[in-house]
Amino acid sequence: MHLAAHFPGVNNTTVWADPRSRSQIDFSSFEQLARTAERGKFDFFFLAEGLRLREHNGRIHDLDVVGRPESLTVLNALAAVTDRLGLAATVNATFNEPYELARRIATLDHLSAGRAAWNVVTSSDAFTGENFRRGGYLDRTDRYTRAAEFVATARELWDSWTPEGVSRPFAHEGPQFTVSGEFTVPRSPQGHPVVIQAGDSGEGREFAASTADIIFTRHGTLEAGRDFYADVKGRLAAYGREADSLKIMPGVTVVVGDSDAEAQEKAAEIRRQQVSPQNAILAAEQIWGTDLSAYDPDGPLPGIDPVPDSEITQGRVRHGDPFAIVARWRALAEAKGLSLRGTVIETTTRQSFIGSPRTVAAELTAFVDERAADGFILVPHLTPGGLDDVVDRVVPLLQESGAFRSEYTGSTLRSHLGLPEPVWKG
Amino acid sequence: MSARTSLHLAAEIGGPPHYDAGHYLRLAGLAEDGALDYVTLGDSFARPGLDALAVLARVAPATDRVGLVPTVTTTHTEPFHVSSAVATLDWVSRGRAGWQADVSTTEAEARLFGRRPAAPPAALWQEAGEVADVSGRLWDSWEDDAEIRDAATGRFIDRDKLHYVDFEGSTFTVKGPAIVPRPPQGRPVIVIDATTAPAREAAARHADVAHIRATTPEQAAAVREEVLRKAAAHGRDAGSLRVLVALTVDLGDVETAPEPGLESGPQLAGGGTYFRGGPVDLADLIAQWHRSGAADGFHLTPITPERDLERIVNGTVALLQHRSLFRTFHPGGTLREHLGLVRPVGRYAAKEA
Ligand SMILES: Cc1cc2nc3c(=O)[nH]c(=O)nc-3n(C[C@H](O)[C@H](O)[C@H](O)COP(=O)(O)O)c2cc1C
């Protein structure tokens, strides 16, 4: 089993109102969570990315935790205070250039002695593009076309020095990039830093199957996990890849209590904190596509139709047909007698593993045994202490049963993941 | 004009490339032991070496006081990313970040990106000035107290204290606000090598520290006056800009002269930027130029960092400290404090007040 720690923030999984919640920006928070993850012998520490503050109703969104440092810089600093932990940065392929990014990621690999990973995201909209020279918008197909050539180009650069340390000129000429010269960084400790892909669409899965070492996904249930796992692993053969060469790691949350019942109670309380009355209205506005500030969060669902193609929220990935979602919400509210807020709590929850340490350890293990995941990216709801419970109470049980390592056996992220050294293609 | 500020000393720690952190940790630690204001680490996309900002981020948690000033070029980079990375260096170093802004003029560098051809220095420095400008605006785009965590209303931030920068430069636009909240120093320190005319223009407008080159104290004083006059013409307070003389230093082969007043005085050559002599000679030169008001301090580039930085710190600096011409410890915590520069008030906050 592989385990990673996701630094929380920027959305309502994070409960900032909890008194134990500290700064999302001070280096001390990053250091504390990373040290916790390393104490738990985790594979890696993960940072997400957002390149424009979201807007809602034409104004900057103000309910969620916002504001974060730039990922690669934080990870280079964390390399100074950790020894073995992998360090993964989410960096967009649309608003960067291969030469510069390949160099920055290879630098992290050198400075961390082989612990770097790059989560290649493609999210791009004209809204985010307003912060960049490139500007504009790439549609889904073009985004992945650019991302695939971006990663391929980065790997050409990483291969442009021989393993013996001789630099050779590179020249890449493709539909997206025409670049040539000499790369300034020798082959790094991992040869190729680990590549992660995040995204659930068919295009995203295909991209991951062709090129990634890890896929970061979201699926809460065992069934959905099994389907996803089978689908993605099934795509590998077409690229001549072994099933083991791509690790599937869903992002999950864990709530641990002394007993299962206590954990359930704690989880319910966390959900109430995550979905405050204001957050419930906001979530409904995102579905309905219109201002619902006149509605009572503790009252019934708005009786009006959603506005399709609304731009009420900017900078957030939209999912599905709003009419279908509203119909589903209505049915649920009716069946369970739920208020608007209650419905939001029921539908937006991403809590996955809740119970006593023993229950959680057993369920995590079952997910892996039943081929729904190769491991997990744990998303805590508290910064920076949110994984203390998992590391202190669940990880020892996983170690006892042999499901998870008790000591690091190697020093690079590739070695933690059991991934082979990439073959040098000179 | 006499010196109005105490002596400032900085050193470059680049040289032949190293690909492990240890080398840079040793040099930065040495500079910190000497209570230097800051270390710089040069960078270019076209010469062997690691990304300089990354190296100094790696150094940050392993040091306490010394300022960290990587070179980041503005020609092929995204202004939004540059401003975020520099602000983040300030967060991870708890207020010790600077940024030496530079441009990429060569065709070789342009080909690494394949995005646009090389351009003349004047155009690139014009753009670099705009990047420095928009970075300052982005650093100010969150007011210091924008984060409120107001339990009653459920609001994490006061969005009235976040500002769009709506910047339109000659080659790029940026909407804002920043993703990174306002960094500890308010604005990290901007350093510009003001040797060439277009760079000097950008320095006068945007730099907190200008590096200049000169062969004599009189020449240094004249250039310093010019930079300060230009800064004033842009509406800046001359007290908000430090001018440091850049010297490439070779302390090799020459034994430490035990007493001041030595026969073979220091030699300056090569456009005034190259110093060859002993650590004591260097201390004498620094003391004399600073006393005459020629400069606020010196930025020293040791030709062999491992050897010369050690001689600078344990020879030159120790002597200046012994003569009470240079401090023996960092009295403050941030780079701005070392330089005697105030923490700027955010321009958007100032406007409303
Ligand atoms: C688990 C997960 C995490 C993601 N994290 C980020 C992120 O940190 N930053 C970002 O810009 N996009 C992130 N994305 C968005 C993806 O990169 C992608 O743009 C989005 O899922 C739509 O991709 P698709 O077209 O494949 O569905 C994430 C997606 C998933 C599924």
Side-chain angles (χ1 to χ4, degrees):
Chain A
M1 182 187 304
H2 300 285
L3 293 176
H6 186 300
F7 188 86
V10 187
N11 58 43
N12 70 350
T13 49
T14 314
V15 178
W16 59 260
D18 190 300
R20 290 166 297 173
S21 168
R22 298 220 316 267
S23 172
Q24 86 288 7
I25 179 85
D26 275 349
F27 184 63
S28 60
S29 291
F30 293 88
E31 181 171 354
Q32 186 180 325
L33 190 70
R35 284 187 191 273
T36 304
E38 189 160 78
R39 180 158 53 85
K41 317 291 179 209
F42 279 31
D43 292 71
F44 62 95
F45 179 87
F46 181 93
L47 291 174
E49 181 187 66
L51 297 172
R52 172 121 187 232
L53 296 181
R54 278 160 48 183
E55 283 178 10
H56 184 73
N57 246 336
R59 306 186 66 193
I60 289 170
H61 182 57
D62 62 358
L63 298 179
D64 292 346
V65 170
V66 293
R68 54 173 146 202
E70 186 269 320
S71 299
L72 281 165
T73 305
V74 171
L75 295 179
N76 278 301
L78 286 176
V81 295
T82 54
D83 283 324
R84 301 292 185 100
L85 188 66
L87 302 166
T90 299
V91 189
N92 202 291
T94 301
F95 301 115
N96 286 283
E97 298 300 319
Y99 183 84
E100 184 190 10
L101 193 51
R103 184 172 184 260
R104 296 188 74 206
I105 291 166
T107 295
L108 176 63
D109 210 39
H110 278 287
L111 292 175
S112 65
R115 298 188 276 141
W118 169 28
N119 176 34
V120 187
V121 292
T122 58
S123 51
S124 77
D125 43 36
F127 175 77
T128 304
E130 284 179 349
N131 280 331
F132 298 97
R133 291 181 194 268
R134 175 167 296 280
Y137 173 77
L138 292 176
D139 69 33
R140 177 176 284 169
T141 320
D142 291 346
R143 263 150 47 199
Y144 281 113
T145 306
R146 179 179 164 96
E149 194 177 320
F150 197 121
V151 174
T153 308
R155 286 189 171 137
E156 286 170 35
L157 299 177
W158 294 334
D159 276 347
S160 71
W161 287 63
T162 70
E164 293 73 39
V166 179
S167 169
R168 301 177 168 193
F170 68 87
H172 172 95
E173 199 174 333
Q176 308 288 326
F177 311 105
T178 298
V179 294
S180 62
E182 284 198 47
F183 195 51
T184 66
V185 180
R187 195 168 175 79
S188 69
Q190 294 187 106
H192 296 176
V194 169
V195 169
I196 307 174
Q197 190 273 345
D200 281 341
S201 68
E203 289 89 340
R205 294 179 191 198
E206 206 59 36
F207 172 56
S210 70
T211 209
D213 300 305
I214 299 173
I215 182 164
F216 176 21
T217 176
R218 291 192 182 104
H219 47 71
T221 69
L222 190 60
E223 294 68 38
R226 270 204 216 105
D227 290 349
F228 182 85
Y229 194 96
D231 176 274
V232 171
K233 297 268 175 171
R235 293 172 191 253
L236 290 168
Y239 298 97
R241 301 182 65 191
E242 304 284 335
D244 272 358
S245 66
L246 176 63
K247 307 295 176 191
I248 296 177
M249 298 182 69
V252 302
T253 60
V254 171
V255 181
V256 183
D258 288 341
S259 65
D260 289 354
E262 196 212 303
Q264 290 292 348
E265 222 168 89
K266 238 167 127 176
E269 177 52 29
I270 292 167
R271 274 188 257 162
R272 275 192 297 277
Q273 284 184 306
Q274 287 169 335
V275 185
S276 65
Q278 298 90 341
N279 263 316
I281 295 290
L282 173 92
E285 287 178 338
Q286 288 172 349
I287 303 299
W288 263 269
T290 188
D291 183 352
L292 300 175
S293 51
Y295 288 84
D296 176 5
D298 294 318
L301 298 189
I304 55 173
D305 278 343
V307 180
D309 301 322
S310 155
E311 300 261 290
I312 192 163
T313 303
Q314 295 268 29
R316 186 192 171 101
V317 184
R318 271 176 284 269
H319 297 289
D321 164 26
F323 286 90
I325 296 172
V326 166
R328 209 159 58 232
W329 281 28
R330 290 220 165 93
L332 183 77
E334 174 103 5
K336 296 198 172 180
L338 297 172
S339 66
L340 172 57
R341 185 177 172 205
T343 309
V344 175
I345 288 173
E346 283 283 310
T347 53
T348 60
T349 175
R350 278 174 49 206
Q351 278 170 1
S352 336
F353 297 92
I354 303 167
S356 68
R358 205 153 288 285
T359 301
V360 169
E363 286 182 359
L364 290 171
T365 308
F367 252 66
V368 173
D369 288 347
E370 300 199 27
R371 297 180 175 282
D374 294 312
F376 306 93
I377 297 181
L378 301 174
V379 187
H381 73 279
L382 275 183
T383 309
L387 289 179
D388 292 352
D389 272 355
V390 177
V391 164
D392 295 335
R393 306 181 68 185
V394 179
V395 167
L397 297 177
L398 294 171
Q399 290 170 328
E400 218 170 83
S401 71
F404 187 64
R405 72 173 68 84
S406 296
E407 287 303 331
Y408 290 108
T409 51
S411 61
T412 67
L413 176 54
R414 272 184 191 280
S415 70
H416 305 338
L417 292 164
L419 293 169
E421 280 278 309
V423 179
W424 180 67
K425 297 196 188 93
Chain B
M1 190 187 290
S2 68
R4 288 169 310 170
T5 66
S6 46
L7 175 63
H8 300 286
L9 293 176
E12 165 70 23
I13 59 170
H18 282 255
Y19 299 101
D20 65 309
H23 170 78
Y24 298 103
L25 288 170
R26 279 189 295 279
L27 294 178
L30 197 52
E32 181 159 277
D33 290 344
L36 299 195
D37 290 64
Y38 57 92
V39 293
T40 56
L41 182 55
D43 198 3
S44 150
F45 286 123
R47 68 156 194 255
L50 299 174
D51 176 81
L53 188 138
V55 170
L56 293 185
R58 173 69 179 74
V59 165
T63 51
D64 279 324
R65 292 296 172 117
V66 70
L68 303 168
V69 184
T71 292
V72 182
T73 72
T74 60
T75 304
H76 300 293
T77 46
E78 287 285 355
F80 192 81
H81 290 322
V82 168
S83 72
S84 297
V86 174
T88 300
L89 182 62
D90 208 42
W91 278 105
V92 302
S93 67
R94 300 189 166 93
R96 295 184 283 133
W99 162 31
Q100 177 151 11
D102 201 357
V103 300
S104 310
T105 54
T106 66
E107 208 44 72
E109 287 158 291
R111 275 197 299 271
L112 298 170
F113 286 77
R115 210 160 151 178
R116 53 177 184 162
L124 295 179
W125 274 109
Q126 155 81 17
E127 183 185 59
E130 290 171 4
V131 176
D133 188 2
V134 78
S135 293
R137 289 169 195 274
L138 285 165
W139 297 331
D140 283 353
S141 69
W142 288 57
E143 292 182 32
D144 289 316
D145 51 356
E147 190 179 314
I148 51 171
R149 302 196 182 213
D150 183 46
T153 59
R155 292 179 307 145
F156 180 77
I157 47 162
D158 177 351
R159 59 187 161 200
D160 293 334
K161 294 187 172 176
L162 261 51
H163 305 273
Y164 294 98
V165 301
D166 283 320
F167 188 86
E168 280 195 39
S170 48
T171 63
F172 64 89
T173 59
V174 175
K175 180 79 187 170
I179 289 293
V180 188
R182 195 155 195 257
Q185 294 184 99
R187 290 175 222 146
V189 170
I190 294 180
V191 178
I192 294 180
D193 184 327
T195 304
T196 65
R200 196 171 294 175
E201 204 54 52
R205 281 180 88 115
H206 302 290
D208 299 294
V209 181
H211 293 171
I212 62 163
R213 269 151 232 272
T215 7
T216 62
E218 294 71 31
Q219 197 191 354
V223 177
R224 178 170 181 267
E225 293 262 17
E226 182 200 336
V227 172
L228 296 183
R229 199 172 49 243
K230 284 190 165 153
H234 291 298
R236 299 183 60 193
D237 165 13
S240 67
L241 180 56
R242 301 283 170 267
V243 180
L244 269 53
V245 172
L247 283 186
T248 301
V249 175
D250 178 0
L251 300 180
D253 305 333
V254 183
E255 279 307 305
T256 306
E259 300 160 29
L262 65 168
E263 306 254 303
S264 70
Q267 304 160 14
L268 279 176
T273 66
Y274 188 84
F275 171 89
R276 192 156 175 282
V280 178
D281 306 324
L282 181 59
D284 287 343
L285 180 137
I286 288 172
Q288 188 204 336
W289 286 37
H290 183 249
R291 202 178 313 117
S292 73
D296 301 309
F298 289 80
H299 174 250
L300 307 172
T301 300
I303 61 155
T304 309
E306 295 91 329
R307 179 196 66 195
D308 292 328
L309 188 59
E310 200 273 329
R311 292 184 183 186
I312 288 170
V313 168
N314 295 326
T316 307
V317 171
L319 190 55
L320 289 167
Q321 288 169 331
H322 180 71
R323 295 183 193 161
S324 300
L325 295 172
F326 189 62
R327 60 168 175 249
T328 52
F329 61 96
H330 292 99
T334 71
L335 176 53
R336 281 190 176 274
E337 285 166 352
H338 306 340
L339 289 164
L341 296 171
V342 296
R343 185 179 189 278
V345 177
R347 73 199 69 197
Y348 302 98
K351 216 174 277 174
E352 274 155 31

